[in-house]
Amino acid sequence: MLFTLIVLLSLHLVVEREVRSKAEAKKSEIEAQMWRFLLLLQTWLLIFCLPFSICLASPAPWVMRISCGSRVNVHTPPTNTLWYKDFAYTGGIPTNSTATSYVAPPLKTLRYFPLSEGPNNCYNIKRVPRGHYSVRVFFALVAHQDPDPNFDNEPLFDISVEGTQIYSLQSGWSSHDDQVFTEAQVFLIDGTASVCFHSTGHGDPAILSIEILEVDDRAYYFGPEWGQGVILKTVTRLSCGNGKSKFDVDYSGDRWGGDRFWNKMPTFGQNSDKAISTENSIKKASNAPNFYPEALYQTALVSTDSQPDLTYTMDVDPNKNYSIWLHFAEIDVSITGVGKRVFDILINGDIVFEGVDVAKMSGDRYTSLVLNTTVAVKGRTLAITLHPKEGNHAIINAIEVFEVITAESRTLLEEVRALQALKSALSLPLRFGWNGDPCVPQQHPWSGADCQFDRTSNKWVIDGLGLDNQGLSGFLPNDISGLHHLQSINLSSNNIRGAIPSSIGTITSLEVLDLSYNFFNGSIPDSIGQLASLRRLNLNGNSLSGKVPVPLGGRLLHGASFNFTDNSGLCGIPGLPTCGPHLSAGAKIGIAFGASVAFLVMVICSMCWWKRQQNILRAQQIAARGAPYAKARTQTTHDIQMTRHHNHGYARTAAENGPSLLS
Ligand SMILES: *[C@@H]1O[C@H](CO)[C@@H](O)[C@H](O)[C@H]1NC(C)=O
Ligand SMILES: *[C@@H]1O[C@H](CO)[C@@H](O)[C@H](O)[C@H]1NC(C)=O
Ligand SMILES: *[C@@H]1O[C@H](CO)[C@@H](O)[C@H](O)[C@H]1NC(C)=O
Ligand SMILES: *[C@@H]1O[C@H](CO)[C@@H](O)[C@H](O)[C@H]1NC(C)=O
Ligand SMILES: *[C@@H]1O[C@H](CO)[C@@H](O)[C@H](O)[C@H]1NC(C)=O
Ligand SMILES: *[C@@H]1O[C@H](CO)[C@@H](O)[C@H](O)[C@H]1NC(C)=O
């Protein structure tokens, strides 16, 4: 690219000079025009090519290295590699680490996750560009001030990447160089890298470092089954005929190789083979997509006269698929060309490559050849045999073995969010350790959440929530309705307060709802009456009040079991008190207004009555002075008091003011 740019630039200068000279010489106008056009074309080409050349200039892979437990960024020799200070963890405790193996990066700290913080803990690294990555985790041992020889501080735990379990530590790992880390190639497509550690009851997971190293999009492509649904877990990498284990960086390998670790393999067994090496350079070693270090092909094992077959045997987990990568380069001076060395390759006795002629297939001597095959292994052994057919000796430079793991489906994102909302609203204790994915790895689901695989969405969903008797407080959030697939909720015997969210009524599959023995208050949302499948509803032992939704009363007739006892004042269905008139706020205002008006009218009337009483008395006194018979009339006074409507005069007959007016 740089070369093209230089050519274009020099061409540009030449053309420009030509244009000037032609213009000065006032040559034919057409010729001058032509040169000007060329100049324009050149300029445009330059403008277009510049950004391209910048883009194409070999970009660096995306790399994130974390020194767990460290409060500062760390640089390590020999390449001054940068390890970021600790971040992105869900919990745990930082402390000093003990060096386990020279293979591990020389970092002084670790982060461990005590069981009191729950069985699942993670590093969730955000803003990871979508791509193909090699993810590597080194384990560690906690450094103790006074080491107790009887104290077993070698923790055993499981590791998952993006919800797929990739490794279980085996006891004795801390004394085996090739077991102090685990590594897998995985596609990261959702912007985060989630690496989780799952307790198995054997000590607290302790992590030294995490590396997320971008590799080529098609690195280790092994056939049509390869892709986003597949994780390649490194089982081993062997550099044959080599006496020292090395990383890619120690071989000055390409950064796109993912800084692989190559175990030394000086021999496959006593006297069965012979190590050879060369100083010659090797062609085609560091090519895409895998960018192997050249030095890998500069050593090899060849079979001896006494033992023509070259066999490498290793222990593996049974009933798994393995992707096997075999590396060759004809570096043996005694092999002068094509046809001099031909061999078959067998895996567990089956021929996988027939008539391999390295010099022929790679195109030349001192040229790399990589063969890969995927095999299903039933037993616990993997045996790779090279069986010579021509030349009586076989050769091999390196071996890589990966376990092919089918990536787990994750939990439906909406349900994960709902559970996370629940976790904070209910102040879920730390010991629950709700970190990572709720349902996967299947060996380590969140406690309290029951998972089910949903074939329509191809995701995991939550069908049961069992958090009874866990000392939970807080409130039940509306977000609970995000758990669409719930069939059963048991939150019995906690200290949950506040209202029952009405959104619960949208979980149509709900059959069992047990909120008994909490401090729920307010009324039962009407929406719960709409839950057609509900057959057990325990709301007893709360502070609920108000009317029970009518449909629930009807459901009781159909054999459902509902318990509403021990609440503040529930009413309205058979077995509970009948409810008082149900009044809306408007009605209450109306009644209050009516009562005030009535009171006012009563006050006014009393005043009128009192006034009239006074008048009557006065009239009687006047009449008594003038008419003696009027005295007898005063006996009917109380009748007159009751007349309100047609009482215009003082004098009334007793007949007129009969008892009928009293009503
Ligand atoms: C870790 O080691 C440093 C010295 O290297 C020491 O000062 C510090 O106290 C240690 N921390 C713990 C938690 O042991
Ligand atoms: C691995 O082998 C398959 C054929 O089995 C081939 O298609 C593929 O290109 C090989 N991968 C690499 C990276 O060479
Ligand atoms: C191994 O691969 C075959 C074919 O791709 C597949 O059917 C089988 O389930 C795989 N086995 C395991 C254990 O992954
Ligand atoms: C809910 O859990 C409690 C124990 O805490 C249990 O007694 C009760 O039966 C459970 N409710 C249902 C509906 O299963
Ligand atoms: C329910 O209890 C909460 C406090 O826990 C209180 O704020 C709220 O007003 C109560 N609601 C009703 C309807 O009593
Ligand atoms: C309902 O709950 C009360 C306690 O609140 C309990 O005594 C009673 O047995 C329960 N009834 C049924 C039918 O389970």
Side-chain angles (χ1 to χ4, degrees), residues 255-307:
R255 286 172 306 166
W256 281 95
D259 196 19
R260 291 155 287 210
F261 177 71
W262 300 91
N263 275 298
K264 61 179 186 222
M265 183 47 68
T267 175
F268 287 159
Q270 263 95 39
N271 298 326
S272 69
D273 50 26
K274 176 177 82 177
I276 59 167
S277 64
T278 181
E279 302 270 288
N280 288 5
S281 71
I282 307 292
K283 281 168 272 181
K284 296 201 288 188
S286 192
N287 282 359
N290 288 337
F291 304 95
Y292 292 108
E294 182 187 18
L296 198 62
Y297 299 92
Q298 289 174 322
T299 64
L301 284 172
V302 292
S303 41
T304 55
D305 291 333
S306 61
Q307 183 76 48

Side-chain angles (χ1 to χ4, degrees), residues 468-469 490 492-493 512 514 536 538:
D468 45 288
N469 222 335
N490 193 346
S492 174
S493 309
V512 175
D514 191 340
R536 282 198 72 175
N538 291 352

Side-chain angles (χ1 to χ4, degrees), residues 81 85 94 219 296 335 513 526 589:
T81 307
K85 62 182 172 198
L296 198 62
I335 302 295
L513 178 59
D526 281 338
I589 291 171

Side-chain angles (χ1 to χ4, degrees), residues 36-188:
R36 276 203 198 93
F37 174 72
L38 266 178
L39 181 70
L40 204 76
L41 205 73
Q42 287 290 304
T43 315
W44 277 112
L45 267 174
L46 259 178
I47 289 170
F48 273 110
C49 286
L50 210 70
F52 268 108
S53 63
I54 289 166
C55 286
L56 289 175
S58 171
W62 193 91
V63 165
M64 172 57 70
R65 290 186 164 93
I66 301 174
S67 171
C68 304
S70 176
R71 289 195 182 82
V72 291
N73 291 349
V74 181
H75 289 266
T76 54
T79 47
N80 202 33
T81 307
L82 166 65
W83 301 83
Y84 282 97
K85 62 182 172 198
D86 208 358
F87 74 103
Y89 44 83
T90 57
I93 299 167
T95 188
N96 292 339
S97 67
T98 311
T100 48
S101 159
Y102 74 96
V103 170
L107 302 168
K108 299 269 187 294
T109 59
L110 62 77
R111 176 169 292 274
Y112 73 96
F113 300 96
L115 198 56
S116 57
E117 296 195 4
N120 304 318
N121 276 283
C122 305
Y123 272 79
N124 294 314
I125 298 145
K126 300 218 164 63
R127 287 189 288 282
V128 179
R130 190 187 166 94
H132 195 197
Y133 291 86
S134 175
V135 175
R136 184 161 57 201
V137 178
F138 275 93
F139 323 129
L141 298 179
V142 172
H144 288 277
Q145 242 98 44
D146 308 302
D148 173 359
N150 299 319
F151 179 72
D152 178 18
N153 69 343
E154 185 190 70
L156 304 182
F157 52 96
D158 293 349
I159 296 180
S160 70
V161 174
E162 296 294 285
T164 303
Q165 184 153 321
I166 59 161
Y167 194 55
S168 292
L169 275 79
Q170 305 294 311
S171 76
W173 64 263
S174 56
S175 47
H176 290 88
D177 290 338
D178 57 347
Q179 290 181 24
V180 294
F181 70 91
T182 187
E183 179 192 277
Q185 285 199 11
V186 54
F187 284 91
L188 300 176

Side-chain angles (χ1 to χ4, degrees), residues 358-561:
V358 176
K360 184 177 166 196
M361 290 166 77
S362 65
D364 202 354
R365 297 169 66 218
Y366 301 103
T367 307
S368 81
L369 169 69
V370 184
L371 298 175
N372 79 85
T373 185
T374 307
V375 295
V377 178
K378 292 218 163 52
R380 296 189 166 271
T381 341
L382 178 69
I384 302 168
T385 305
L386 311 183
H387 177 64
K389 299 181 91 176
E390 201 69 56
N392 215 26
H393 296 110
I395 185 170
I396 189 155
N397 301 64
I399 299 173
E400 294 174 282
V401 179
F402 300 96
E403 186 188 324
V404 181
I405 303 176
T406 307
E408 295 263 22
S409 295
R410 313 290 294 271
T411 305
L412 211 60
L413 194 59
E414 190 186 0
E415 308 220 343
V416 180
R417 297 223 169 101
L419 284 178
Q420 278 160 350
L422 210 61
K423 175 184 173 181
S424 69
L426 294 177
S427 321
L428 215 62
L430 212 52
R431 69 186 147 81
F432 274 86
W434 275 17
N435 299 305
D437 190 284
C439 299
V440 291
Q442 289 176 57
Q443 300 90 327
H444 302 282
W446 289 1
S447 65
D450 297 333
C451 296
Q452 195 185 23
F453 192 70
D454 180 43
R455 303 222 168 268
T456 49
S457 62
N458 243 354
K459 299 267 185 191
W460 289 90
V461 297
I462 312 299
D463 68 353
L465 201 59
L467 293 170
D468 45 288
N469 222 335
Q470 297 296 337
L472 307 180
S473 52
F475 65 99
L476 203 54
N478 255 311
D479 309 66
I480 193 170
S481 62
L483 300 168
H484 291 307
H485 299 86
L486 278 181
Q487 291 171 8
S488 151
I489 299 175
N490 193 346
L491 294 171
S492 174
S493 309
N494 286 294
N495 304 311
I496 307 170
R497 303 180 170 274
I500 299 173
S502 70
S503 66
I504 269 191
T506 64
I507 309 174
T508 49
S509 49
L510 204 60
E511 294 172 14
V512 175
L513 178 59
D514 191 340
L515 304 178
S516 57
Y517 306 109
N518 279 289
F519 297 100
F520 285 108
N521 65 1
S523 57
I524 301 173
D526 281 338
S527 62
I528 287 186
Q530 313 303 316
L531 292 171
S533 312
L534 199 63
R535 51 183 178 78
R536 282 198 72 175
L537 176 63
N538 291 352
L539 299 177
N540 50 302
N542 281 290
S543 307
L544 296 166
S545 54
K547 192 165 159 46
V548 173
V550 176
L552 291 181
R555 207 83 57 71
L556 276 174
L557 306 173
H558 298 98
S561 145

